[in-house]
């Protein structure tokens, strides 16, 4: 099966000497829903910028849907739809004109471009706004406009850089539903996001990049299974003044009704409940302190930072 | 014409033409007003005192130069401001991610600039008919020179915009280089009036060749050999287009 994206030993040094990528390897299967995660400045946007031809490539090879980025750049571009992080359309143009214009750049004749723009603007709930100048749209609408524009040539792979940044929850969820549908129809999707809940619920595979290096790449489930420790918050009835001592667990007092404790993979929540019950504490509720992926992300990126400093 | 490159080229040209026609108050109207003032002040009021220039009525003498000046400034200004605005708003990325070769991008913007230059030139030509009786001495020379000049300055405007990092950068060249060269390029006088040394210096100014060749096409008079002007124009087209293509290829000012 052809890989949707194959990156081998990709390195990027900017003119000011900053090493953004230190020879990364990345592989994404066709049809995958893939997340590239990392803290700010880790190299996510540089990687996607190189794949999208918006950043000059350094050493290494990049293949998109089997096409080489250097020798078959036009085929690479035809295979790709790009939704960047920042709004990058002429805000004085009308919504449908922006989509039709982009279709023209991909060689789609006017009639086909009009039909496709109608299809995608309708799917993204923007058809009513087709004659409105783009500057009049809300932030969420602008993001959806960029998605419609990126899809007008019906690419095999869609790259989204922070697609839901600054978008309210309702629209974010409708965008997730749209992207899931699109992926089901066969489009490979690669996204970067700061909402780790988004990556955990949407993406089958995840890579975490930090400091220009891939520190983890695996199926989302495998990554989460490999997590060594989780933190939970327990709310109890009654008033606490100190954190109860729990044998084998490290616990901390959060407020007079709540404590948090760490749980390793070998330990069970039942043990915690038993010990709390033995101490006469009545558990009202329990929840993970943070999103599981978020904890893993922090673990991995902190570890990588410590290694770099050492 | 179904070739994707042709469709992409047409899309760029369509967008460029739509841009300058949509903002016609900023693009088509000002040169018309400016040139009418030139015709009235220099042509009628001052020109009537000057009498003739190289045997031609002064108004007849300056009209070709003023048309050429309009074409030069508008071709250049259109591409430099449009391309830089695309960079500034990042909408140039729409083209960079698409499978459009650099030569198609370059030609699309250049033809957009040529369209505005010629549109303004046409408006000024129509207005000049109120002030003088224009006779076209050689239609081929008239049209080919104005077209080549528009291509040269559109391409130069593109190069300016590629290098520009702020809006000031797209006004520096027109203000400090283009305007002086145009005024000293024989628009208002014949270089034969100058002392030998200044005649020689003037002949280093490429705009002198363009203005005089265009004037030759209309009234049949030129201070310089017409063939030399064609040679120079073609050389500028080749040099500037090669440079622009090289800059687009390296991603100068566009890709880091």
């Amino acid at each position: 099966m052809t890989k949707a994206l194959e990156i081998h030993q990709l390195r990027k040094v900017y003119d000011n000497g900053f090493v953004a990528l230190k020879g990364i390897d990345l592989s994404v299967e066709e049809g995958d829903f893939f997340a590239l995660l990392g803290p700010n400045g880790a190299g996510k946007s540089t990687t996607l910028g190189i794949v999208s031809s918006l950043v000059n490539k350094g050493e290494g090879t990049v293949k998109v849907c089997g096409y080489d980025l250097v020798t078959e750049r036009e085929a690479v571009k035809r295979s790709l739809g790009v939704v960047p992080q920042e709004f990058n359309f002429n805000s004085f143009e009308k919504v449908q004109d922006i989509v039709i214009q982009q279709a023209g750049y991909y060689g789609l004749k006017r009639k086909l471009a009009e039909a496709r723009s109608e299809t995608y603007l309708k799917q993204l709930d923007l058809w009513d706004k087709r004659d409105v100048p783009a500057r009049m749209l809300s932030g969420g609408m602008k993001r959806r406009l960029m998605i419609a524009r990126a899809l007008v040539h019906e690419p095999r792979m869609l790259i989204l850089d922070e697609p839901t940044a600054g978008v309210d929850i309702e629209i974010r969820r409708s965008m997730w539903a749209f992207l899931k549908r699109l992926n089901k129809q066969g489009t490979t999707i690669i996204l970067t996001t700061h909402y780790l809940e988004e990556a955990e619920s949407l993406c089958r595979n995840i890579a975490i990049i930090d400091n220009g290096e891939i520190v983890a790449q695996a199926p989302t489930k495998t990554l989460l299974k490999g997590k060594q420790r989780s933190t939970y918050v327990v709310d109890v009835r009654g008033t606490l003044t100190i954190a109860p001592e729990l044998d084998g667990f490290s616990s901390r007092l959060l407020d007079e009704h709540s404590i948090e404790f760490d749980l390793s993979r070998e330990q069970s929540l039942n043990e915690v409940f038993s010990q709390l019950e033995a101490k006469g504490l009545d558990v009202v509720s329990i929840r993970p302190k943070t999103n599981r992926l978020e904890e893993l992300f922090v673990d991995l990126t902190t570890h990588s930072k410590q290694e770099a400093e050492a | 014409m179904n070739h994707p490159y042709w469709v992409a080229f047409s899309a760029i040209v369509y967008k460029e033409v739509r841009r300058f026609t949509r903002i016609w108050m900023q693009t088509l109207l000002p040169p018309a007003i400016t040139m009418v003032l030139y015709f009235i002040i220099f042509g009628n009021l001052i020109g009537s005192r000057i009498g003739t220039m190289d045997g031609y009525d002064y108004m007849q003498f300056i009209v070709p130069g003023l048309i050429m000046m309009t074409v030069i400034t508008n071709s250049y200004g259109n591409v430099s401001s449009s391309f830089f605005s695309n960079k500034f708003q990042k909408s140039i990325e729409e083209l960079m991610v698409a499978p459009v070769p650099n030569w198609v991008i370059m030609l699309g913007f250049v033809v957009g600039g040529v369209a505005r230059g010629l549109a303004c030139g046409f408006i000024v030509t129509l207005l000049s008919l109120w002030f003088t009786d224009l006779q076209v001495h050689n239609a081929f020379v008239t049209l080919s020179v104005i077209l080549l000049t528009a291509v040269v300055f559109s391409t130069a405007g593109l190069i300016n915009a590629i290098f520009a990092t702020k809006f000031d950068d797209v006004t520096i060249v027109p203000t400090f280089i283009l305007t002086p060269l145009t005024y000293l390029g024989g628009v208002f006088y014949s270089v034969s009036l100058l002392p030998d040394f200044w005649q020689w210096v003037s002949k280093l100014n490429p705009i002198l060749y363009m203005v005089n060749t265009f004037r030759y096409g209309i009234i049949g008079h030129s201070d310089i050999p017409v063939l030399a002007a064609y040679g120079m124009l073609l050389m500028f087209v080749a040099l500037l287009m090669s440079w622009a293509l090289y800059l687009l290829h390296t991603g100068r000012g566009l890709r880091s």
Side-chain angles (χ1 to χ4, degrees):
Chain A
M1 193 178 177
T2 315
K3 299 263 189 208
L5 178 65
E6 266 184 292
I7 292 177
H8 181 62
Q9 284 302 301
L10 183 62
R11 194 176 146 78
K12 173 70 186 176
V13 183
Y14 283 104
D15 290 344
N16 61 7
F18 175 68
V19 184
L21 298 175
K22 298 172 180 170
I24 63 165
D25 292 312
L26 199 63
S27 174
V28 180
E29 296 289 338
E30 192 133 26
D32 199 359
F33 208 134
F34 189 93
L36 183 60
L37 308 176
N40 288 334
K44 304 185 297 285
S45 293
T46 298
T47 307
L48 297 186
I50 290 172
V51 176
S52 321
S53 299
L54 293 173
V55 174
N56 282 327
K57 190 179 81 65
E59 294 164 28
T61 56
V62 176
K63 282 187 175 184
V64 174
C65 300
Y67 301 113
D68 185 87
L69 182 67
V70 175
T71 58
E72 298 163 294
R73 192 178 285 271
E74 280 192 27
V76 166
K77 288 179 170 183
R78 284 190 195 288
S79 310
L80 266 183
V82 182
V83 182
Q85 197 173 337
E86 290 177 48
F87 302 130
N88 68 344
F89 44 74
N90 183 339
S91 51
F92 294 99
E93 297 276 354
K94 291 177 184 169
V95 167
Q96 193 176 14
D97 288 344
I98 288 172
V99 182
I100 291 175
Q101 184 72 33
Q102 189 71 6
Y105 296 158
Y106 283 86
L108 269 64
K109 293 194 80 181
R110 183 93 191 172
K111 270 200 166 171
L112 179 59
E114 283 174 355
R116 291 260 185 96
S117 67
E118 184 177 341
T119 303
Y120 289 106
L121 288 176
K122 278 181 175 169
Q123 283 185 23
L124 286 151
D125 296 326
L126 284 172
W127 183 241
D128 292 346
K129 303 282 180 188
R130 62 189 178 279
D131 291 324
V132 171
R135 67 177 186 279
M136 311 289 279
L137 300 180
S138 67
M141 288 176 181
K142 286 176 179 167
R143 297 235 166 257
R144 282 181 281 150
L145 168 59
M146 293 203 295
I147 296 177
R149 186 186 60 179
L151 290 173
V152 74
H153 63 288
E154 301 194 333
R156 289 165 69 181
M157 182 163 96
L158 183 67
I159 287 180
L160 303 114
D161 197 357
E162 304 279 352
T164 51
V167 170
D168 68 45
I169 293 169
E170 195 184 339
I171 293 178
R172 193 184 307 163
R173 291 198 184 272
S174 78
M175 279 168 72
W176 289 4
F178 175 80
L179 293 174
K180 274 182 177 169
R181 266 199 318 273
L182 193 71
N183 179 247
K184 257 189 187 161
Q185 289 160 7
T187 308
T188 308
I189 297 180
I190 299 181
L191 61 80
T192 72
T193 180
H194 274 116
Y195 300 112
L196 299 180
E197 175 203 359
E198 184 166 279
E200 190 176 341
S201 70
L202 287 176
C203 301
R204 286 189 287 281
N205 290 288
I206 285 177
I208 297 178
I209 186 169
D210 188 31
N211 204 20
E213 290 172 302
I214 300 287
V215 293
Q217 183 180 355
T220 314
K221 283 179 186 165
T222 313
L223 269 180
L224 292 173
K225 268 187 196 161
K227 225 173 88 50
Q228 296 302 314
R229 207 169 47 167
S230 305
T231 305
Y232 287 87
V233 176
V234 169
D235 297 317
V236 296
R237 217 180 298 279
T239 306
L240 296 166
T241 48
I242 54 163
E245 276 187 27
L246 300 173
D247 189 24
F249 299 93
S250 148
S251 64
R252 295 166 295 279
L253 184 70
L254 293 178
D255 57 50
E256 56 186 12
H257 301 297
S258 315
I259 55 166
E260 68 173 25
F261 62 90
D262 299 325
L263 185 80
S264 72
R265 283 182 67 193
E266 295 75 32
Q267 292 172 315
S268 148
L269 278 173
N270 287 344
E271 293 175 41
V272 181
F273 291 137
S274 308
Q275 290 194 40
L276 287 173
E277 198 178 8
K279 288 181 186 296
L281 290 168
D282 199 8
V283 175
V284 175
S285 66
I286 183 165
R287 62 184 185 276
K289 186 180 181 190
T290 52
N291 171 275
R292 291 180 303 159
L293 187 58
E294 196 168 316
E295 287 182 357
L296 179 73
F297 176 83
V298 172
D299 281 353
L300 286 167
T301 52
T302 310
H303 180 64
S304 132
K305 206 166 284 171
Q306 283 165 350
E307 274 186 353
E309 280 166 6
Chain B
M1 295 284 255
N2 287 333
H3 195 284
Y5 292 171
W6 173 255
V7 178
F9 168 76
S10 310
I12 300 170
V13 174
Y14 176 74
K15 188 178 79 140
E16 286 302 292
V17 172
R18 205 179 47 183
R19 188 192 78 91
F20 77 71
T21 48
R22 189 178 57 213
I23 50 169
W24 61 273
M25 294 264 280
Q26 298 169 48
T27 53
L28 301 176
L29 191 59
I33 294 172
T34 309
M35 287 305 147
V36 165
L37 292 171
Y38 273 117
F39 292 147
I40 294 171
I41 296 166
F42 288 94
N44 272 357
L45 302 179
I46 299 175
S48 60
R49 304 222 169 190
I50 292 172
T52 59
M53 182 73 67
D54 280 351
Y56 294 89
D57 175 65
Y58 190 63
M59 178 68 94
Q60 262 187 318
F61 184 87
I62 64 167
V63 163
L66 291 174
I67 295 171
M68 190 55 108
M69 193 161 104
T70 305
V71 172
I72 288 171
T73 49
N74 283 281
S75 303
Y76 191 95
N78 193 72
V79 185
S80 61
S81 65
S82 172
F83 195 85
F84 183 71
S85 296
N86 274 279
K87 267 175 62 174
F88 186 77
Q89 293 200 69
K90 289 183 175 284
S91 56
I92 195 68
E93 290 179 1
E94 293 178 330
L95 273 166
M96 289 163 66
V97 299
V100 188
N102 291 327
W103 62 268
V104 173
I105 296 176
M106 180 189 74
L107 285 183
F109 276 94
V110 167
V111 170
V114 168
R116 173 163 153 200
L118 295 186
C120 292
F122 181 69
I123 292 168
V124 171
T125 305
L126 285 181
L127 291 170
S128 73
L129 295 175
W130 288 95
F131 300 91
T132 186
D133 185 22
L134 272 188
Q135 300 287 330
V136 177
H137 171 74
N138 186 323
F140 173 77
V141 171
T142 305
L143 293 176
S144 59
V145 163
I146 205 148
L147 187 66
L148 283 170
T149 304
V151 169
V152 165
F153 284 95
S154 293
T155 316
L158 176 64
I159 292 168
N160 186 172
I162 290 173
F163 279 106
T165 54
K166 52 188 186 297
F167 277 103
D168 284 351
D169 296 343
V170 290
T171 59
I172 286 173
V173 175
T175 308
F176 296 104
I177 300 174
L178 221 51
T179 305
L181 284 181
T182 309
Y183 278 84
L184 297 170
V187 172
F188 297 101
Y189 57 88
S190 165
V191 282
S192 61
L193 298 177
L194 301 174
D196 286 350
F197 174 74
W198 290 111
Q199 277 193 41
W200 182 83
V201 171
S202 292
K203 285 178 182 168
L204 298 175
N205 177 1
I207 293 178
L208 177 80
Y209 294 76
M210 299 168 191
V211 167
N212 271 278
T213 310
F214 186 63
R215 183 175 287 134
Y216 172 82
I218 291 184
I219 62 175
H221 172 82
S222 171
D223 290 338
I224 49 98
V226 170
L227 272 182
Y230 273 105
M232 190 211 60
L233 273 166
L234 291 171
M235 183 191 74
F236 268 110
V237 170
L239 279 177
L240 292 174
M241 284 199 164
S242 305
W243 191 11
L245 275 179
Y246 171 75
L247 293 171
L248 288 173
H249 175 72
T250 55
R252 169 91 195 211
L254 301 171
R255 284 191 299 269
S256 44

